[in-house]
Amino acid sequence: MTKSALQIERAAYQPKLPKALKGAVKVQEGEPTHSVADMEEIQKLFPNTYGMPSIKLVEGEAKEYPVINVGVILSGGQAPGGHNVISGLFDGLKKLNPANRLYGFILGPGGLVDHNYKELTADIIDEYRNTGGFDIIGSGRTKLEKVEQFEKGYEILKELNIKAVVIIGGDDSNTNACVLAEYYAAKNYGIQVIGCPKTIDGDLKNEMIETSFGFDTACKTYSEMIGNIERDCNSSRKYWHFIKLMGRSASHIALECAFQTHPNICLISEEIESKNMSLDDVVTYIAQVVADRAADGNNFGTVLIPEGLIEFIPAIKKLIAELNDFLAANGEEFAAIAPAKQREYIIGKLSPENSAVYASLPAGVARQLTLDRDPHGNVQVSLIETEKLLSEMVAGKLAEWKKEGKYVGKFAAQHHFFGYEGRCAAPSNFDADYCYSLGYTASMLIANGKTGYMSSVRNTTAPAEQWIAGGIPITEMMNMERRHGEMKPVIRKALVELDGAPFKAFAAVRDQWAKNTDFVYPGPIQYFGPSDVCDQTTKTLQYEQAK
Ligand code: FBP
């Protein structure tokens, strides 16, 4: 692999570890845990892994550990730092016993089922230290839920004498990890399963999981680009830039990028839902800011739009819920309908209320809502061009206001979607350290015989030395939700909390950002230089931890 000068320098970076992980480690158990909701159902579904205590890793006495083979899987969307989770896991395993071996399953959970794997040796690991991407073994979205899949996986685990599997993934993938851990425990197969919290979306977090890895780097990468756009925008003063940002459901990425760049508008899906706003309300809000700025002579600005917005507009959310159930039951019949007739077909099948909402949507968006779901049953919101939908509707509203004499300005829009641009960026120092620590922690949970746990590293706004490593039972994060038309146990997504410190801080300043041009241009992530430039965590984490 040809490397850039930065990659060569960066390869030598030694990620920081919490103090407790630097030497021999022992487990300190906390109180038994309960699921966040639906306790009875979750306990019934996970009799072997429910109620386990949370775990803290503390300094212990050196001891000998038997040789163990471990498998690792990268699951779901890419997130900066995945390679460091694997290098931390590898280094931890080798420290426990140099004869330990690590196998990577290729292209996600499918690799386990299809027996597609490779051994990850020191030479391979060294090539990937502190790099972005998941290309060391690739990733995939295969959902592990069927007994045949678990059994196929077990065949290869037995063959390779693998006693533990680490699944690096988001909420859906860690749900898979939990189901797999429970199955192998119930069968007494002697296979441990440990999860690691990954996703740029930032929605896999709770009391014990402060942040998912990749959120830090992805937000900094998007913020650099938003800052560049803002500077361009403030230089030519002739465009409104509509910027959609990844984050399937939650608006954490948009909110964090807003803190870093001070756009004129940042929509927060969770607020739109709680205020029961219609699409027209959202359009009116944006158009009003555009009109107010135009009145001050400013025919330019920036709007940040969370990717999942459309699903949070209550009327559209109801429509999607009915569409999900309908398509889960009638997918084949729908697929057989000629594309030109599909809209009409759906209108005829939905309840009157949802049918009316569906009929009111622009054709492109209506079509996108019926496209294939991902393997977890989610609408693929990254395919819906909300940024164009909104800017077209704002243009329409402004044209009406112009006729009525309520608006005197010029409106020209540019569109952007930042998602894939940030998912494989070289990890920031924070993500490099955090991921390495998560992987290293996973090795220690394995060595201590744990299964059904997620690797956890806390106190992350303090210097890495003071981070607290441990494990949280995955069942603690679970509740029951409707998926593919059925109630399923899943990890509860952490959405933006409207009474949380980050949102409140944003709400207090957004009107000033709307009126004034207070753009911030954060520039690129820095890997070498002063600590207050290179080691800053996200503002979201700073607000959350300050409470
Ligand atoms: P994960 O939840 O698996 O981390 O993926 C999140 C994400 O990056 C979303 O932000 C986005 O909506 C989605 O993946 C895109 O999926 P795909 O990579 O399959 O296009």
Side-chain angles (χ1 to χ4, degrees), residues 76-77 141 198-201 246-248 307 420 423:
R141 290 196 186 275
K198 168 237 70 168
T199 179
I200 60 160
D201 295 0
M246 253 192 190
R248 252 208 60 75
E307 184 182 43
Y420 300 98
R423 297 200 311 184

XYZ file of all heavy atoms in Angstrom, residues 76-77 141 198-201 246-248 307 420 423, ligand 1:
126
model
N -21.835 -2.740 9.798
C -22.578 -1.512 9.513
C -21.726 -0.452 8.845
O -20.707 -0.747 8.219
N -22.164 0.810 8.988
C -21.496 1.920 8.306
C -20.099 2.169 8.860
O -19.846 1.966 10.041
N -23.754 -5.232 6.351
C -24.947 -5.016 7.187
C -25.793 -6.277 7.356
O -26.979 -6.173 7.676
C -25.812 -3.907 6.581
C -25.221 -2.513 6.681
C -26.275 -1.457 6.439
N -25.711 -0.110 6.401
C -25.487 0.627 7.485
N -25.774 0.152 8.670
N -24.976 1.834 7.374
N -19.804 1.646 17.929
C -19.372 2.383 16.741
C -20.552 3.080 16.098
O -21.640 2.520 16.079
C -18.764 1.387 15.762
C -18.515 1.914 14.388
C -19.205 1.109 13.272
C -20.705 1.247 13.250
N -21.359 0.720 12.069
N -20.424 4.238 15.607
C -21.293 4.892 14.624
C -21.018 6.383 14.627
O -20.954 7.015 15.691
C -22.815 4.658 14.818
O -23.498 5.383 13.793
C -23.386 5.074 16.156
N -20.839 6.902 13.425
C -20.640 8.356 13.324
C -21.888 9.075 13.805
O -21.819 10.236 14.186
C -20.326 8.803 11.874
C -21.469 8.431 10.917
C -18.994 8.250 11.403
C -21.458 9.231 9.618
N -23.045 8.388 13.781
C -24.317 9.053 14.091
C -24.395 9.555 15.537
O -25.219 10.406 15.850
C -25.499 8.104 13.839
C -25.637 7.741 12.373
O -24.820 8.215 11.568
O -26.548 6.978 12.034
N -25.226 13.480 7.462
C -25.572 12.117 7.861
C -25.964 12.032 9.323
O -25.703 12.962 10.098
C -24.415 11.176 7.592
C -24.671 10.279 6.434
S -23.473 8.953 6.348
C -23.889 8.312 4.739
N -26.490 10.891 9.646
C -27.032 10.641 10.975
C -28.423 10.104 10.725
O -29.369 10.889 10.652
N -28.516 8.792 10.567
C -29.779 8.164 10.143
C -31.028 8.749 10.796
O -31.945 9.153 10.121
C -29.725 6.670 10.518
C -29.575 5.711 9.424
C -30.210 4.400 9.812
N -31.606 4.607 10.088
C -32.543 4.801 9.177
N -32.209 4.772 7.911
N -33.788 5.001 9.515
N -30.026 14.291 8.330
C -30.434 13.295 7.328
C -31.810 12.684 7.617
O -32.600 12.436 6.718
C -29.368 12.194 7.325
C -29.539 11.116 6.318
C -28.454 10.055 6.457
O -28.124 9.641 7.591
O -27.940 9.625 5.435
N -20.681 10.308 3.384
C -19.617 9.361 3.057
C -18.241 10.040 3.123
O -17.236 9.370 3.333
C -19.885 8.751 1.672
C -21.212 8.009 1.652
C -22.367 8.604 1.146
C -21.327 6.753 2.221
C -23.594 7.948 1.185
C -22.549 6.080 2.269
C -23.678 6.690 1.756
O -24.877 6.046 1.816
N -16.870 9.395 6.830
C -16.927 8.121 7.566
C -15.606 7.367 7.605
O -15.421 6.496 8.444
C -18.004 7.209 6.960
C -19.393 7.789 7.076
C -20.457 6.747 6.943
N -20.272 5.878 5.792
C -21.142 4.937 5.443
N -22.244 4.773 6.165
N -20.931 4.181 4.396
P -24.251 2.793 11.294
O -25.434 3.090 12.161
O -24.147 1.388 10.851
O -22.978 3.270 11.939
O -24.375 3.625 9.953
C -24.784 4.933 9.988
C -24.753 5.599 8.646
O -23.501 6.143 8.370
C -25.857 6.660 8.595
O -25.351 7.900 8.981
C -26.358 6.557 7.188
O -27.735 6.851 7.110
C -26.141 5.129 6.829
O -25.060 4.687 7.600
C -25.825 4.922 5.367
O -25.738 3.557 5.122
P -24.960 2.900 3.917
O -23.504 2.946 4.243
O -25.447 1.494 3.908
O -25.267 3.687 2.698
